[in-house]
Amino acid sequence: MILLSSLVFITSCNEDDFLSQVNPNQITSDTFWKSETDFSKGLTTAYGALQFAGISGADLSHEIVQSDLAGTEYWYSGQYEFTQLGFTDATRHVQNKWNELYVGVFRANQVIENLETTEATLDDSFALEVEAQARFLRAFFYFQLVHSYGGAVVHTAVAKSPEDFNKPFATKEEVTQSVIIPDLEFAKQHLPQVWDSENDLGRATWGAATSLLGKVYLFGEEWTMAATQFKEVIDSQVYSLVPNTLDNFTDENEFNSESIFEVAYSDVLKPGAKGPTIDDNENETSGEASALAMQTGQLSFGAYNTVISSYYLHELMVYDEMDTDNPINSGYTHSQRFYSSIAPIDSDGLYYNLPTGSKGGWAYGQSAYVKKHSNWYHWDTESPLERSGINFRHIRLADVYLMYAEAVLEANSDVATAIQYIDMVRARAGVITLQSYMDNNGGTFPVLHKSVQVHGSHQMVSPSEETVMTHLRMVERPIELCFEGHRWKDLVRWGIVKETFDSHKADEDWRSANLNTDGSGIAPLFINERIRPDYAVSAGAYNSEAHDYFPIPTSERQINTNLGK
């Protein structure tokens, strides 16, 4: 469901009687909210906020390059300040994301509040479904706020006076307990497992609410509660992993069996509108396309290659070892997760309909480009209007499996169950499972996150809570979920940003000292000309208090006197 129509509610200023006449053609809060159709339209605008660039679109590139799975170049100044941890309260993305999320909160609040006050006769089941969706969306927006900014200003009603905007900053815990959990519990109770009509694709479901509730508990370190929610989703049998990993990252099998909550985009609707112009208002030309492909696609094919795979991720992919007995690997030299995610010069198959590497670009330190979110699989080049129709998946079943594995490890050291669910994800990707490694190596599996190029062959370890958790954190989630917006939040909640960056910085220094200077590149990464300095600044600059969360934007502090200066 592409949900992008926008509503503007305007109240007139009455200085003189003749200026107070009401325009009968103007939509206002007094003339709206009179029918089920009005509430459906109002709910549509709340869904529409999901398409904003900082929530599901191109501006997520700033957060993707902030983690250890991607880098960028200094000439992309907007993203570069995030790789260098140089963002401030005046940085554009820091301000825009805050504003976009609060637009979503405001629109959801409009729906919820007017359901309580409307004089319209609404079917009870319709009203419950609308409220449940609006409360899910409000919880989603607040979850993004508290885990991007470390807290939020709580608005659960539409502001009616300047004083309503002057509210204090609440902690993550306060917002979670007062808004997010109650909203998700309500949504879970009243949303259907599956909507009946294809026209309803994209609406929040019971599974989306339950999965997000589990994630809330996971982030709050309430492990048993988290595991319970995830297991409900798994046991519902509503969802299943798609056989082909690539189907999660193209526009050819959207809203598939693995998808739990995704945001719809289209490159067909509103032709001619630029992708970055999303959901403004009825007086502006808006698109329903995503511009994220321009950030991940390669410059040689009409994009910007703003987001580039880190060497760490590239080498993880190289050693994502294929199970030769699995027929999904027939004809491939790299794993399906590798093939679906990044494009090194020795990649399998075609890339933008040409043999990979036949155009230039794999030089000046670039070892691999990003495939996820780009149109490499069916177009010759990216759209000059920055239009992509690839949906953004916020929650999918593979993520739920891995979060469930983490929860049971933390809750009761259940190593066997954690390995079982990690291996479900690995088996789907056609790579050797941890259990297979153990069966063939005296009960041990390899430490795959250590660079073979830098440190030599992989050490073998026995399964324990510590070794399986390290694998989950440093191998499985990075490979399976790279570039999907999870990594920085994961590193922060685990409290391992510094040690991760320090380790990568040491590898970076080794690569710089051992760079092959004849231009041929050394297998398996084939890096030429220089080592891109992804951690040269960030490893030393990182400070948990300053960098784990974005600062409250300057513009918000200027408006809300309760936030200080």
Side-chain angles (χ1 to χ4, degrees), residues 290-478:
S290 170
L292 185 55
M294 290 297 285
Q295 306 299 317
T296 61
Q298 191 188 342
L299 186 64
S300 296
F301 298 94
Y304 300 144
N305 54 249
T306 312
V307 178
I308 307 168
S309 171
S310 69
Y311 303 138
Y312 167 64
L313 178 65
H314 186 173
E315 196 167 358
L316 280 180
M317 293 288 186
V318 168
Y319 295 105
D320 200 32
E321 188 177 2
M322 293 189 298
D323 177 357
T324 55
D325 293 331
N326 192 321
I328 197 173
N329 293 316
S330 177
Y332 289 89
T333 60
H334 295 139
S335 76
Q336 291 301 297
R337 298 196 288 194
F338 192 147
Y339 176 73
S340 301
S341 302
I342 63 173
I345 198 168
D346 61 341
S347 181
D348 294 315
L350 301 180
Y351 181 60
Y352 289 101
N353 292 324
L354 290 174
T356 307
S358 59
K359 277 191 177 185
W362 283 267
Y364 199 55
Q366 317 310 358
S367 73
Y369 293 97
V370 177
K371 284 182 171 179
K372 277 189 185 179
H373 312 301
S374 74
N375 290 281
W376 66 274
Y377 59 94
H378 65 153
W379 288 358
D380 295 336
T381 185
E382 292 296 338
S383 162
L385 291 175
E386 305 183 31
R387 292 174 54 84
S388 174
I390 301 171
N391 290 359
F392 189 88
R393 285 75 164 178
H394 279 284
I395 308 173
R396 57 188 180 93
L397 185 61
D399 186 15
V400 169
Y401 280 173
L402 296 181
M403 289 191 290
Y404 179 62
E406 179 182 349
V408 297
L409 268 178
E410 294 280 16
N412 51 24
S413 302
D414 189 347
V415 173
T417 299
I419 289 175
Q420 176 188 352
Y421 280 89
I422 290 170
D423 279 351
M424 288 181 185
V425 177
R426 294 184 66 83
R428 183 274 296 275
V431 299
I432 297 174
T433 63
L434 296 185
Q435 189 62 54
S436 293
Y437 276 124
M438 292 187 291
D439 290 344
N440 293 298
N441 292 278
T444 64
F445 65 89
V447 178
L448 295 169
H449 68 284
K450 293 292 186 180
S451 169
V452 170
Q453 193 172 39
V454 176
H455 302 285
S457 60
H458 291 128
Q459 175 189 2
M460 304 297 290
V461 295
S462 299
S464 66
E465 181 181 356
E466 180 182 0
T467 59
V468 175
M469 184 66 78
T470 298
H471 175 88
L472 185 64
R473 290 176 173 181
M474 302 307 295
V475 180
E476 216 58 50
R477 285 188 69 81

Side-chain angles (χ1 to χ4, degrees), residues 485-502:
H486 304 291
R487 185 59 172 171
W488 182 258
K489 293 179 175 64
D490 278 348
L491 293 175
V492 168
R493 69 185 178 89
W494 293 326
I496 62 170
V497 177
K498 180 171 175 52
E499 66 184 76
T500 300
F501 277 23
D502 285 349

Side-chain angles (χ1 to χ4, degrees), residues 9 29 31-35 38-39 42 110-111 114 118-120:
F9 301 117
S29 54
T31 60
F32 203 71
W33 309 111
K34 302 298 184 183
S35 66
D38 288 348
F39 279 95
Q110 279 192 311
V111 175
N114 281 284
T118 185
E119 297 178 359

